[in-house]
Amino acid sequence: MPHAHAFESTADHTAHVSHPAAELVCSLHSYDRSDTASADLTTSTMNEVVNTLHHYGQDLSHNHHNALQSVIQTMADMAEGSAERRVYVSSLDPGMGKTTSLIVFLRQLMRSHIHQDVAVLVCLSRKAEIERIVEDAGLDEVDFAVLTRDEEVNALSSTPVGEARVLFTTQQMLLSRLRGGRFESCPTFHYQGLPREIRVWDEAMEPGQVVMLSSDDIGGLLGFLRRVSADFADKIDDLMERLRKADIGSLFRFPVLEPEVLQRAVAMLGDDRRTAHVEALAELSDQEVRVASGWGSQRVAVLAKTLLPEDLAPVLVLDASARVRETYKLWNEQRGGLVYLPTATKDYSPLTIHFAKKGAGKSSWEQGGVALAEMVAEMRCRKLEERCLIVHHKADRHLDVPNLVSTALGPDASANTSFLHWGMHRATNEYADVPTVVLAGTFNLPPSHYLGLAHASLGLPMATTIPEDVVKRVELGEHGHAVVQAVGRGATRGCSGGKCLPGDVYIIAAAGSGIEAALRDWFPGATVKRWYPANRPALTGKVAQAAAFIKQRLKDDPVGPILFQDVMDHIGCRDRSNFNRTVRGNELFKLWLSDKGLVEVKLPGIRGKANAFQAELPLFAAAGVEFPPDVQGSKI
């Protein structure tokens, strides 16, 4: 179940980015220190950071220096108890020293005799990042503790959590322990019985939890739930039917669902993938949701909820892609309580981005993976002598992108090629010397998720109608978030004189995604070129006729399904098996469908495992975005 969020808005919150009124100043403890304590801590940390970055070849510009100093100053203010209750966001690009500043600050804080009573909470996205920062910080074991669900990682220190001045944990651990309660009332994260003064959130802080459950998800639970409680299953069956018949965009009230039955169901399922759907039922019990579209007649219930308590602030967020995400901007505009720290955008003029206008979502890969793999292989082989990182969709029983690409590449090229799936594309330096990065498709969330994120960002209930253009802003911003993070894993992560290090990036994304037009904003100064596969033949015969018919139908209704039978009738094909072999099975036709952002879907009441073509990005199609004409291959 996808997650997101943070703080409930209050009447006190404003959209100011400067420090607000004095009554909002947070003072968790009483301090009797000199006025220079914070300045001394900031100066000593900044000096070490500058020397460290210089050692790695980074000469800081004036703006870069100020941006890092603001990160350090914010942590020093927390140490002094003078930081206001705000979410402080640093959006420095990957490789510009945010994490280095945190590591050095921890060392300097431990050395400061004035701050011996000050404690730190560091929340990271992955356990591997905890191991890396613990190693790089070089803290004495007595000074830190680790709290995760992995006992091997926790064993990095034997110091009890409540007695360690620095506590490393995962963001999911924090969310699960707080469970909607107050941070200051959760002793798990306290130091010697009091809340830790310095709170750092590394990587993205989402604006809320987005809970989604489709009518198909509910239907998939019925057989199992009848074994738990026949009466409860009947109730869920009725719920599924009512949701499936609800109008898209309407409000829908979930009934009160017996928690004891749901708890029993979760216990019986264990690690089964359906457990998340049962947990979503519990979240949606007695809630008013917004109904979003799915495939065919499928409907999706969407709810946005707050997760992190307001009293977690002050907290410092280190998110390299914050400058491209709309969630922070909407949060700041509508809810307030968020402060953008000074930043220094990297100059990406040494970077060349090659953009291929192809649908390459997971469904496109499942249906046309061989053709897409050959395209990725062609991209990778442009500079075969160099190392290459390919970012791809996570493998499952239906899809294995690394295997498809490796087969297309052959053993010689595969030996110098690394693979990293979406979800692991953040916060790793393992590929920082790799000059070529290929994004073999982009990380797409369901349209219903972007709707939920928009509600969470604005702090508005589901009953409030949000303009479609705002949801589209959120969607494009989330694409930017994923792309900036993934590109930042390669050599362009490096920085010299304010510029990234030279590199090439290849991106495959659908025309309707808006990604191509946004690349120059996401990577200021970069050269963006359109990329075309070599020697791609045009469609011919019945295949060309089928494509022409589908293209015309898309003009009339960009989001509506196009039945196989309608295509067959148009091209005069009466035999389904012949249509499947000569049209649907044609690799060029599959690539053409991918160009248009189309995938095969199953509509209810019609025979066949798949029986229609439909746009993979319905949110953009519903907004009236017309698919552009072909730029390569078929001249239909």
Side-chain angles (χ1 to χ4, degrees):
M1 192 165 54
H3 278 88
H5 181 273
F7 307 92
E8 301 177 27
S9 59
T10 71
D12 294 320
H13 285 174
T14 67
H16 296 170
V17 293
S18 59
H19 292 313
E23 63 265 24
L24 293 174
V25 171
C26 169
S27 181
L28 299 178
H29 298 290
S30 296
Y31 296 90
D32 183 17
R33 301 185 180 127
S34 69
D35 294 338
T36 62
S38 177
D40 290 345
L41 182 57
T42 301
T43 300
S44 61
T45 302
M46 191 66 210
N47 288 340
E48 186 177 347
V49 167
V50 170
N51 290 334
T52 301
L53 295 179
H54 181 74
H55 174 75
Y56 289 107
Q58 286 201 41
D59 293 321
L60 274 59
S61 67
H62 176 73
N63 288 342
H64 190 179
H65 186 283
N66 286 347
L68 290 177
Q69 184 159 304
S70 71
V71 169
I72 297 165
Q73 183 65 59
T74 300
M75 291 186 285
D77 288 345
M78 291 183 195
E80 290 299 310
S82 61
E84 298 163 353
R85 283 194 184 273
R86 290 290 183 263
V87 179
Y88 297 89
V89 180
S90 173
S91 60
L92 277 167
D93 285 11
M96 294 190 77
K98 297 185 305 301
T99 303
T100 298
S101 297
L102 169 61
I103 290 169
V104 173
F105 180 85
L106 293 177
R107 286 201 294 257
Q108 291 289 341
L109 183 72
M110 294 303 104
R111 297 170 187 163
S112 173
H113 298 295
I114 302 176
H115 299 92
Q116 289 181 348
D117 57 340
V118 176
V120 186
L121 173 67
V122 182
C123 301
L124 297 119
S125 58
R126 297 189 299 124
K127 291 177 289 188
E129 279 304 289
I130 294 177
E131 294 175 297
R132 182 175 73 86
I133 291 183
V134 165
E135 180 179 355
D136 290 349
L139 302 177
D140 292 335
E141 185 176 337
V142 69
D143 288 329
F144 77 93
V146 179
L147 178 62
T148 70
R149 290 188 175 88
D150 188 327
E151 291 304 320
E152 185 175 344
V153 178
N154 294 346
L156 290 169
S157 172
S158 60
T159 304
V161 169
E163 298 176 17
R165 288 181 60 196
V166 181
L167 173 60
F168 297 99
T169 190
T170 61
Q171 295 157 4
Q172 288 302 315
M173 176 62 77
L174 181 71
L175 295 176
S176 66
R177 291 299 180 95
L178 290 179
R179 296 178 181 175
R182 291 176 58 79
F183 174 74
E184 294 177 7
S185 300
C186 186
T188 302
F189 304 104
H190 289 180
Y191 170 63
Q192 295 185 347
L194 292 172
R196 295 169 185 271
E197 294 87 351
I198 303 173
R199 300 108 187 237
V200 180
W201 187 279
D202 195 40
E203 299 299 336
M205 176 175 278
E206 305 290 356
Q209 178 190 9
V210 179
V211 183
M212 298 182 300
L213 194 66
S214 74
S215 51
D216 288 357
D217 294 335
I218 297 173
L221 293 171
L222 288 174
F224 163 73
L225 289 176
R226 292 203 187 282
R227 302 201 306 270
V228 180
S229 168
D231 290 341
F232 185 81
D234 288 341
K235 189 175 186 177
I236 297 301
D237 192 8
D238 175 68
L239 169 64
M240 178 193 69
E241 286 300 316
R242 290 192 299 109
L243 177 60
R244 194 170 62 83
K245 294 176 182 177
D247 293 333
I248 295 171
S250 66
L251 292 172
F252 182 92
R253 170 67 68 172
F254 264 63
V256 176
L257 301 174
E258 295 84 342
E260 61 277 4
V261 178
L262 292 169
Q263 290 168 6
R264 193 159 68 248
V266 168
M268 290 174 62
L269 281 169
D271 293 331
D272 190 287
R273 61 181 180 82
R274 293 171 294 178
T275 302
H277 297 158
V278 177
E279 292 173 339
L281 277 175
E283 294 275 7
L284 297 174
S285 175
D286 198 29
Q287 296 291 321
E288 188 173 53
V289 304
R290 183 72 66 174
V291 178
S293 62
W295 294 118
S297 63
Q298 184 191 65
R299 297 293 182 265
V300 182
V302 185
L303 177 68
K305 300 179 66 176
T306 56
L307 273 184
L308 295 177
E310 183 181 288
D311 74 329
L312 183 61
V315 59
L316 171 64
V317 178
L318 305 176
D319 186 356
S321 49
R323 65 178 176 82
V324 304
R325 297 186 76 193
E326 293 295 323
T327 51
Y328 291 109
K329 297 174 185 176
L330 294 173
W331 179 349
N332 186 47
E333 292 167 7
Q334 180 70 23
R335 293 161 51 189
L338 183 147
V339 175
Y340 283 106
L341 296 179
T343 192
T345 304
K346 193 184 295 184
D347 178 358
Y348 284 93
S349 55
L351 171 66
T352 300
I353 303 175
H354 311 263
F355 183 85
K357 190 174 67 172
K358 311 289 178 190
K362 199 161 189 178
S363 297
S364 293
W365 269 95
E366 289 172 350
Q367 297 176 20
V370 172
L372 283 168
E374 290 174 352
M375 179 184 297
V376 172
E378 185 180 340
M379 291 172 166
R380 193 270 170 272
C381 290
R382 291 294 179 92
K383 294 186 177 181
L384 194 55
E385 72 284 357
E386 295 181 349
R387 287 188 64 197
C388 176
L389 171 65
I390 297 174
V391 183
H392 58 89
H393 299 294
K394 187 176 182 179
D396 57 27
R397 61 178 179 170
H398 303 295
L399 177 66
D400 187 344
V401 173
N403 182 58
L404 287 169
V405 174
S406 296
T407 300
L409 282 171
D412 293 339
S414 297
N416 204 27
T417 303
S418 299
F419 294 90
L420 188 70
H421 67 74
W422 291 108
M424 300 295 289
H425 64 286
R426 300 187 298 253
T428 176
N429 296 328
E430 186 176 348
Y431 309 99
D433 61 340
V434 177
T436 302
V437 176
V438 178
L439 307 190
T442 50
F443 186 61
N444 300 320
L445 296 168
S448 48
H449 190 95
Y450 300 122
L451 174 64
L453 279 179
H455 277 276
S457 301
L458 294 167
L460 296 176
M462 301 310 296
T464 302
T465 301
I466 294 179
E468 194 171 276
D469 67 314
V470 174
V471 180
K472 287 175 62 179
R473 279 177 58 188
V474 169
E475 178 165 8
L476 186 58
E478 293 308 287
H479 282 313
H481 169 45
V483 170
V484 167
Q485 290 286 347
V487 170
R489 297 314 105 206
T492 55
R493 178 180 184 82
C495 185
S496 178
K499 293 184 177 183
C500 73
L501 299 185
D504 286 271
V505 170
Y506 294 83
I507 300 176
I508 308 175
S513 65
I515 290 173
E516 183 179 21
L519 287 171
R520 288 181 176 87
D521 291 331
W522 296 344
F523 301 97
T527 299
V528 180
K529 299 179 178 180
R530 181 67 65 81
W531 187 91
Y532 303 100
N535 303 319
R536 176 179 163 191
L539 303 181
T540 59
K542 296 290 186 182
V543 176
Q545 293 176 29
F549 175 73
I550 293 170
K551 185 176 179 181
Q552 183 59 49
R553 286 284 297 270
L554 287 173
K555 289 182 178 179
D556 299 335
D557 183 5
V559 73
I562 303 167
L563 294 175
F564 293 169
Q565 188 62 52
D566 290 346
V567 180
M568 291 171 60
D569 292 343
H570 178 78
I571 66 175
C573 180
R574 298 180 179 178
D575 182 71
R576 174 60 67 89
S577 62
N578 184 42
F579 175 73
N580 291 343
R581 184 180 67 258
T582 60
V583 179
R584 288 179 62 202
N586 185 286
E587 288 299 324
L588 288 175
F589 182 71
K590 292 179 181 179
L591 192 55
W592 184 87
L593 289 174
S594 179
D595 291 349
K596 297 300 181 185
L598 296 172
V599 294
E600 295 181 353
V601 299
K602 162 69 175 172
L603 299 182
I606 305 175
R607 69 182 180 89
K609 293 182 179 179
N611 48 47
F613 305 108
Q614 191 171 22
E616 186 177 20
L617 295 172
L619 184 65
F620 285 104
V625 176
E626 185 175 344
F627 292 101
D630 296 83
V631 295
Q632 176 71 15
S634 171
K635 304 302 180 184
I636 298 168

